[in-house]
Amino acid sequence: MRLRIAVQSKGRLFEETMELLNEAGIKLNNIKRTLLIPAKDFPVEILFLRDDDIPQAVATGVADIGVVGENEYVEKNEDAEVIKRLGFSKCRLSLAIPKDETYDGVKWFEGKKIATSYPHILKTFLKKENVKSDIHIISGSVEIAPGIGLSDAIFDIVSSGGTLVSNRLKEVEVVMQSEALLIANKELTAEKKEILNDLIFRIEAVQTAVNKKYVLLNAPEDKIDEIIDILPGMRSPTVTPLATKGWCSVQSVVEDKRFWEVISNLKALGAEGIIVLPIEKMIL
């Protein structure tokens, strides 16, 4: 028995999903031009689909679970369960208007034509804001619609904002934030739930290690209490005596964002022989 995972067939979400699965020990053979591929040493198989087909595939049982952008999950409104927020492929869904227009609030969109590939999300937002607009559903390059006279504004995915700038548009309202989600069919068997739990365990071990470093150092015994205060481990640092009297070896984990601050403080307390190692996996 294998757990079938629906994955986007191309693009940034595909690349980041495959990287996560690889780090979690899910190894695949050549994936080019193949729709369904079994993993080598773990009971899963990967089904490659268009991103907007994944919510329905999971809801109907064509796939057991799927990795999909939150934007597509909310837009399709299918009956699938969100299992885990994955924290990558982040973007936002925003309203944008021509650069030279003066924007004075959401009421600007009253009576305007808005081009989008996300009509459900947009309708929900406009209803909440009590704004009536003409929604023009379009696939492909939504951002060109105002420039060719097809619409007055657009509602689309924004990452860096560079595409808006190149089309002389400006972002005026962020409607929702989006990231990759792990979703599941609500009728998974007990056997498939067990495989899913094992997969989640592996994913969390990979994600826990992100942006963390393992630090080993030598420190004077009379400074250990101060060092422990600035160098916490997952519970507490590991401290062991050295052969040299009055010195200890200390091991701990440090987040990247605090790394240089912590190292500077350690040196000020007399720490020596500081070794920093990357962490591949971390089991809590």
Side-chain angles (χ1 to χ4, degrees), residues 1 36 221:
M1 176 179 292
L36 185 65
E221 283 184 353

Side-chain angles (χ1 to χ4, degrees), residues 28-283:
L28 305 176
N29 291 315
N30 191 349
I31 64 175
K32 292 183 178 179
R33 302 180 182 277
T34 306
L35 179 65
L36 185 65
I37 305 174
K40 295 179 183 178
D41 301 313
F42 193 71
V44 300
E45 57 187 9
I46 311 299
L47 175 65
F48 294 104
L49 298 173
R50 284 167 47 98
D51 56 347
D52 54 355
D53 289 334
I54 293 175
Q56 184 181 53
V58 173
T60 59
V62 172
D64 299 308
I65 65 174
V67 178
V68 65
E70 187 173 359
N71 53 307
E72 291 295 346
Y73 174 76
V74 175
E75 175 62 28
K76 298 306 179 183
N77 197 29
E78 295 283 352
D79 190 25
E81 181 180 4
V82 176
I83 299 298
K84 185 174 180 59
R85 306 183 76 87
L86 296 174
F88 57 82
S89 290
K90 292 186 177 182
C91 62
R92 56 193 181 273
L93 281 172
S94 296
L95 285 156
I97 65 175
K99 180 181 178 181
D100 297 332
E101 288 283 343
T102 299
Y103 184 71
D104 55 3
V106 180
K107 287 297 181 181
W108 185 93
F109 294 98
E110 185 71 37
K112 298 290 199 304
K113 182 181 286 187
I114 307 173
T116 187
S117 300
Y118 300 93
H120 172 72
I121 297 173
L122 180 56
K123 285 177 184 176
T124 302
F125 173 76
L126 293 175
K127 183 178 180 180
K128 178 183 175 183
E129 297 293 333
N130 196 28
V131 172
K132 293 182 179 179
S133 302
D134 180 10
I135 297 176
H136 184 76
I137 303 173
I138 188 173
S139 59
S141 301
V142 175
E143 65 275 359
I144 69 171
I148 61 176
L150 192 60
S151 70
D152 301 301
I154 69 166
F155 176 63
D156 201 18
I157 289 177
V158 178
S159 295
S160 66
T163 302
L164 295 181
V165 172
S166 63
N167 285 276
R168 295 187 57 78
L169 298 172
K170 61 183 178 182
E171 185 178 8
V172 293
E173 292 286 342
V174 177
V175 174
M176 71 170 283
Q177 301 287 342
S178 177
E179 65 180 282
L181 303 177
L182 181 65
I183 62 174
N185 181 275
K186 292 184 175 181
E187 304 298 329
L188 290 183
T189 64
E191 292 85 354
K192 288 187 175 181
K193 285 181 179 178
E194 186 175 344
I195 299 172
L196 174 58
N197 289 337
D198 196 2
L199 176 61
I200 291 172
F201 169 76
R202 292 186 178 206
I203 289 173
E204 289 179 344
V206 171
Q207 292 185 325
T208 300
V210 172
N211 298 323
K212 292 183 176 65
K213 295 288 189 291
Y214 191 70
V215 177
L216 301 91
L217 57 95
N218 297 330
E221 283 184 353
D222 60 355
K223 298 292 184 180
I224 289 299
D225 288 342
E226 292 176 76
I227 286 174
I228 288 175
D229 285 341
I230 65 170
L231 188 64
M234 301 312 292
R235 291 187 184 276
S236 67
T238 300
V239 180
T240 54
L242 291 177
T244 302
K245 187 175 180 179
W247 283 80
C248 292
S249 172
V250 181
Q251 305 170 43
S252 191
V253 174
V254 178
E255 292 186 355
D256 264 351
K257 64 183 179 182
R258 293 191 59 220
F259 176 76
W260 290 111
E261 171 197 349
V262 169
I263 294 300
S264 295
N265 291 335
L266 290 173
K267 285 178 65 64
L269 289 170
E272 298 178 356
I274 301 172
I275 299 174
V276 181
L277 301 171
I279 300 174
E280 184 176 329
K281 310 287 188 300
M282 185 179 291
I283 313 300

